[in-house]
């Protein structure tokens, strides 16, 4: 890997870029001068059926109401209004299938598809407020399903198609979903993997335990054989495809629940993060327009995320479509049929804005710069990064090799809970620093504070602390589905006195006051931008008959940011079969949660380091996993336990 030549500390935008940029520095001033007026102005970019009477009602904090009494239809804002404005022939989605098939879908065609789906879901008896689970790969019907739900006021819960049947069942039960939409199978590196089968397994998983699902709607994608339950299971091509393409969209309250999205918490049980309509769409649309400098009708935008994660919700579906974007949606893996796939797609469609995860950038670095160098990437004018902090080396490589040393990089910090981007450079304004999230966007307020809530002092030395959000924001979560106590304790308890949201991330401010995110400070790991809790992986390991106890930590990893390292104690009866056992345990975690959660290393140890109160000291296990000198071991019951663990690793 050749060294990058350009090693400046900061990279200001070019004069040409700034002159044509959507955002200028005055946005910050306007937002500071009158926050409510600023957000009202952003909301005015959307179509409202009924105007709001109040921008923000924070009287029931920490539950916010944004755009009080306002009514809108989210799908109308993403599709209908563009067609009515005369842009029906503009391509909304350039869809690229993994095997090489492709489809261009215009806004007029998208409207017809969404209307058909809405008509058929109504025919099934679904009503506003009902929940629908969507368990699909990156096919156009997944986006159509989300928009049809939004159109009807059905709350969707998208479950990543890589999750296990157990994980799907957990989410279906928690939300009491009446319908699951899925595909027969999905393409993965040229092979068709079953998906409908996983749905059946999920629904029969708990034996006779009843579930809420009345129908399973199946899109034919891979033509593999599927198990079928007459009366319950329905083919998309026999139902939705036959429905009427005309549908009138009804407006819903700004606070109507739009979607639930499950995310890992510090306990093993995933949290259903609830987002509502008006505030969420306002901020999704505003951030997409300004952070990516998107120009409708001119740019070709590509966000490489999956709809199973919040990035796919906000920056594939709702943000881009509300801004009349022409975007690329790709179904498959970045190295099928070979490592040139992404760059072939960029060339084919002339992608101008490319938004991906640091893990993928580091993977591209590993594959070598000669791969992107073989392609004409000159169409790219803005690069984005999401999911975890990007290390300066990867940042510089990304800018030089993919962005021809000219494209600004927007390194975006946000979470499932925040709904949209919170901290990021503005590409026409900010002199970005490699690896820094920089500053909160106009209209957003963030602080770095210590344990007591005191703002960390800017000095010569860098000031580390906790990242908090001290003002409500439009796309904020409105709660945890079915568990408002957990919502209050998880996010608001730590700084309850100040009324701040605690993000669970550490951060530092440099001497200029710019913000750098340092990663999770709780028991949640960030693997390739996916949040996985230590508790979830531990419980999957303990589910194996041979494991008595397990402790899991995230250790730094050159490619994925963090890798999962597990330490397990076997039961007295279990036989340590070496590699065979380790492989079995890794497979167990993949099966229980998802291949994403498969541990990088598993060490069989005689004992775990515990405090006198019985708490496992994960901090010390992390030191071991990363090969560091041990921190303070004075609180341990038996400090010698580490000799045994080290011997086990060796």
């Amino acid at each position: 890997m050749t060294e990058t030549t350009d090693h400046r500390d900061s990279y200001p935008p070019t004069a040409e870029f700034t002159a044509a940029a959507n955002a200028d520095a005055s946005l910050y001033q306007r937002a500071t001068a009158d926050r409510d007026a600023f957000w009202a102005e952003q909301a005015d970019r959307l179509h409202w059926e009924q105007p709001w009477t109040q921008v923000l009602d924070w009287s029931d904090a920490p539950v916010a109401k944004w755009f009080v009494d306002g009514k809108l239809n989210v799908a109308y804002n993403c599709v209908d209004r563009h067609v009515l404005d005369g842009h029906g022939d503009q391509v909304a989605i350039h869809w690229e299938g993994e095997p090489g098939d492709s489809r261009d879908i215009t806004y007029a065609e998208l409207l017809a598809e969404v209307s058909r789906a809405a008509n058929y879901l109504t025919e099934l008896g679904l009503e506003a407020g009902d929940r629908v689970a969507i368990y699909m790969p990156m096919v156009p019907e997944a986006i159509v399903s989300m928009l049809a739900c939004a159109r009807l006021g059905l709350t969707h819960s998208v479950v990543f198609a890589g999750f296990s049947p157990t994980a799907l069942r957990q989410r279906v039960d928690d939300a009491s979903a009446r319908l699951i939409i899925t595909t027969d199978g999905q393409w993965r590196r040229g092979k068709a993997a079953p998906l409908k089968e996983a749905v059946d397994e999920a629904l029969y998983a708990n034996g006779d335990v009843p579930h809420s699902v009345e129908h399973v709607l199946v899109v034919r994608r891979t033509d593999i054989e599927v198990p079928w339950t007459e009366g319950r299971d329905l083919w998309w091509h026999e139902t939705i495809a036959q429905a009427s393409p005309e549908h009138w969209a009804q407006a819903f309250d700004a606070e109507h629940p739009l979607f639930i999205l499950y995310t890992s918490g510090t306990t093993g049980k995933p949290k259903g993060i609830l987002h509502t309509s008006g505030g969420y769409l306002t901020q999704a649309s505003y951030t997409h327009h300004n952070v990516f400098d998107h120009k409708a009708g001119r740019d070709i935008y590509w966000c490489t995320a999956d709809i199973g994660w919040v990035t796919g919700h906000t920056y594939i579906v709702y943000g881009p479509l509300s801004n009349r974007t022409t975007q690329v949606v790709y179904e498959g893996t970045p190295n099928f049929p070979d490592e040139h796939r992404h760059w072939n797609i960029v060339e084919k469609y002339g992608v101008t804005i490319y938004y991906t995860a640091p893990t993928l950038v580091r993977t591209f670095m590993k594959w070598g710069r000669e791969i992107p160098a073989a392609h004409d990437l000159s169409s790219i004018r803005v690069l984005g990064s999401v999911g975890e902090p990007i290390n300066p080396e990867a940042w510089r490589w990304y800018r030089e090799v993919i962005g021809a040393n000219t494209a600004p990089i927007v390194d975006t910090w946000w979470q499932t809970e925040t709904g949209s981007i919170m901290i990021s450079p503005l590409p026409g304004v900010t002199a970005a620093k490699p690896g820094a999230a920089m500053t909160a966007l106009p209209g957003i307020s963030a602080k770095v504070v210590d344990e007591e809530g005191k703002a960390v002092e800017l000095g010569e030395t860098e000031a580390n602390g906790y990242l908090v959000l001290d003002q409500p924001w439009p796309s904020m979560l409105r709660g945890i589905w079915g568990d408002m106590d957990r919502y209050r304790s998880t996010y608001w308890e730590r700084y309850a006195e100040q009324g701040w949201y605690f993000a669970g991330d550490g951060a530092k401010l440099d001497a200029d006051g710019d913000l750098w995110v340092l990663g999770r400070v709780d028991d949640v790991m960030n693997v390739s931008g996916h949040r996985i809790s230590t508790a979830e992986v531990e419980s999957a390991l303990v589910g194996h008959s041979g494991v008595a106890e397990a402790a899991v930590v995230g250790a730094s990893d050159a490619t994925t940011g963090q890798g999962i390292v597990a330490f397990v104690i076997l039961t007295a009866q279990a036989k340590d079969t070496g590699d065979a056992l380790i492989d079995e345990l890794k497979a167990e975690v993949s099966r229980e949660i998802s291949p994403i959660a498969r541990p990088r290393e598993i060490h069989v140890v005689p004992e775990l380091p515990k405090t006198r109160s019985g708490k496992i000291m994960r901090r010390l296990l992390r030191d071991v996993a990363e090969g560091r000198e041990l921190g303070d071991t004075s609180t341990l019951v038996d400090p010698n336990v580490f000799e045994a663990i080290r011997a086990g690793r060796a």
Side-chain angles (χ1 to χ4, degrees):
M1 202 159 57
T2 27
E3 267 304 294
T4 29
T5 43
D6 192 354
H7 263 276
R8 287 178 283 161
D9 290 335
S10 79
Y11 295 73
T14 62
E16 297 79 51
F17 195 102
T18 300
N22 291 347
D24 61 36
S26 76
L27 272 186
Y28 292 100
Q29 280 103 46
R30 294 212 305 281
T32 311
D34 188 338
R35 217 162 162 270
D36 280 10
F38 175 81
W39 282 118
E41 187 188 314
Q42 305 317 316
D44 275 336
R45 300 178 64 250
L46 303 176
H47 171 272
W48 293 81
E49 199 60 40
Q50 178 178 308
W52 60 87
T53 55
Q54 187 184 353
V55 173
L56 166 66
D57 175 359
W58 190 228
S59 60
D60 188 25
V63 181
K65 287 193 178 81
W66 280 87
F67 308 113
V68 182
D69 299 324
K71 285 190 166 58
L72 79 172
N73 185 289
V74 169
Y76 180 95
N77 272 284
C78 291
V79 192
D80 306 47
R81 67 177 174 143
H82 308 317
V83 176
L84 293 169
D85 287 347
H87 301 290
D89 291 342
Q90 182 184 321
V91 172
I93 296 166
H94 290 298
W95 179 74
E96 186 77 17
E98 194 194 75
D101 49 340
S102 59
R103 274 171 74 186
D104 282 353
I105 302 165
T106 64
Y107 274 96
E109 288 165 339
L110 185 59
L111 175 57
E113 284 293 298
V114 171
S115 298
R116 285 191 181 97
N119 280 319
Y120 187 69
L121 296 186
T122 304
E123 208 177 300
L124 284 180
L126 293 163
E127 293 172 353
D130 285 341
R131 274 80 59 205
V132 173
I134 297 172
Y135 184 56
M136 299 171 89
M138 293 297 289
V139 291
E141 290 84 355
I143 295 171
V144 168
S145 299
M146 290 169 75
L147 290 167
C149 286
R151 191 176 192 85
L152 295 172
L154 304 170
T155 303
H156 61 67
S157 163
V158 180
V159 181
F160 173 56
F163 273 143
S164 68
T166 317
L168 172 64
R169 175 66 186 258
Q170 216 175 9
R171 288 156 174 78
V172 163
D173 285 350
D174 189 69
S176 306
R178 288 183 62 190
L179 169 71
I180 298 177
I181 309 179
T182 189
T183 56
D184 53 0
Q186 57 181 332
W187 291 109
R188 275 288 164 262
R189 293 196 172 85
K191 290 191 180 64
L195 203 57
K196 164 64 165 67
E197 206 173 279
V199 173
D200 281 39
E201 200 182 310
L203 296 183
Y204 300 127
N206 302 359
D208 296 334
V209 178
H211 54 73
S212 50
V213 177
E214 295 161 18
H215 290 101
V216 178
L217 185 55
V218 189
V219 174
R220 186 176 273 162
R221 172 62 187 132
T222 56
D223 283 327
I224 53 177
E225 281 290 303
V226 291
W228 204 255
T229 304
E230 279 306 327
R232 183 197 72 185
D233 297 347
L234 307 155
W235 283 113
W236 181 288
H237 61 272
E238 290 173 359
T239 55
I240 284 177
Q242 311 304 321
S244 158
E246 305 284 324
H247 182 272
W248 180 76
Q250 175 199 341
F252 294 96
D253 190 86
E255 286 300 327
H256 187 80
L258 179 63
F259 65 88
I260 302 166
L261 186 56
Y262 288 84
T263 185
S264 277
T266 48
T267 66
K269 185 180 187 295
K271 310 184 297 262
I273 302 301
L274 177 68
H275 282 287
T276 57
S277 305
Y280 169 79
L281 190 63
T282 293
Q283 195 174 328
S285 195
Y286 152 72
T287 50
H288 178 265
H289 176 74
N290 289 294
V291 173
F292 299 106
D293 192 52
H294 171 262
K295 312 277 196 265
R298 300 221 299 274
D299 275 312
I300 306 292
Y301 165 87
W302 183 15
C303 167
T304 71
D306 189 285
I307 56 155
W309 312 113
V310 72
T311 305
H313 285 56
T314 308
Y315 297 108
I316 293 176
V317 184
Y318 297 113
L321 294 176
S322 70
N323 287 325
R324 189 166 56 84
T325 300
T326 296
Q327 67 177 321
V328 171
V329 173
Y330 171 52
E331 174 186 37
T333 48
N335 56 352
F336 186 84
D338 56 36
E339 285 80 5
H340 291 267
R341 188 65 189 264
H342 270 225
W343 317 122
N344 283 329
I345 292 172
V346 168
E347 273 185 310
K348 176 176 175 179
Y349 296 108
V351 170
T352 58
I353 305 167
Y354 179 79
Y355 190 33
T356 196
T359 297
L360 202 50
V361 176
R362 290 190 290 265
T363 302
F364 293 148
M365 286 172 77
K366 220 160 48 182
W367 292 345
R369 62 168 65 206
E370 55 283 354
I371 290 174
H375 300 269
D376 175 8
L377 307 182
S378 61
S379 59
I380 290 178
R381 65 179 200 87
V382 177
L383 294 171
S385 162
V386 61
E388 58 187 304
I390 183 169
N391 51 309
E393 186 195 7
W395 193 103
R396 288 191 166 95
W397 188 93
Y398 191 30
R399 187 180 195 275
E400 184 186 335
V401 178
I402 311 303
N405 254 333
T406 56
I409 295 177
V410 289
D411 175 7
T412 63
W413 178 86
W414 58 297
Q415 303 174 308
T416 304
E417 292 88 344
T418 71
S420 15
I421 296 167
M422 304 294 283
I423 302 172
S424 166
L426 281 178
V429 180
T430 317
K433 297 174 182 172
M438 300 305 292
T439 53
L441 289 177
I444 301 301
S445 183
K447 278 187 164 83
V448 180
V449 299
D450 66 13
E451 203 68 63
E452 276 73 60
K454 286 204 282 289
V456 297
E457 293 297 315
L458 284 193
E460 288 313 301
T461 53
E462 281 154 342
N464 290 18
Y466 299 108
L467 179 55
V468 296
L469 302 168
D470 62 336
Q471 296 282 341
W473 62 98
S475 67
M476 67 192 291
L477 73 166
R478 297 300 196 267
I480 291 173
W481 183 256
D483 197 345
M484 289 308 279
D485 291 342
R486 191 178 176 195
Y487 166 66
R488 288 187 171 86
S489 64
T490 305
Y491 303 108
W492 304 91
E493 201 167 75
R494 187 169 207 162
Y495 295 105
E497 208 179 302
Q498 297 89 344
W500 296 341
Y501 169 93
F502 174 51
D505 279 328
K508 67 181 185 188
L509 292 174
D510 63 20
D512 303 323
D514 290 322
L515 196 145
W516 302 65
V517 178
L518 302 172
R520 305 295 299 173
V521 297
D522 56 16
D523 297 327
V524 176
M525 302 168 289
N526 193 331
V527 182
S528 299
H530 306 315
R531 266 169 41 175
I532 298 160
S533 80
T534 54
E536 238 173 328
V537 181
E538 285 164 3
S539 83
L541 288 165
V542 175
H544 186 280
S545 59
V547 175
E549 209 176 346
V552 167
V553 295
S556 54
D557 186 287
T559 304
T560 58
Q562 277 191 312
I564 298 175
V565 178
F567 299 86
V568 300
I569 301 174
L570 300 182
T571 60
Q573 299 75 38
K575 212 164 151 288
D576 186 352
T577 54
D579 288 349
L581 175 68
I582 301 296
D583 291 345
E584 209 177 298
L585 292 175
K586 286 181 178 178
E588 179 81 5
V589 175
S590 291
R591 194 166 52 245
E592 269 301 301
I593 306 168
S594 162
I596 292 164
R598 184 186 174 93
R600 181 184 81 188
E601 303 163 31
I602 298 181
H603 304 288
V604 175
V605 294
E607 208 44 73
L608 290 169
K610 288 181 182 167
T611 61
R612 288 172 184 78
S613 66
K615 191 174 186 311
I616 294 170
M617 292 290 279
R618 290 194 181 80
R619 172 176 60 79
L620 296 173
L621 286 174
R622 206 172 289 122
D623 289 342
V624 172
E626 294 179 346
R628 277 194 301 274
E629 278 307 303
L630 291 184
D632 176 23
T633 59
S634 60
T635 54
L636 293 183
V637 180
D638 175 14
N640 300 325
V641 62
F642 280 103
E643 292 319 308
I645 290 177
R646 279 217 181 87
R649 279 194 90 219

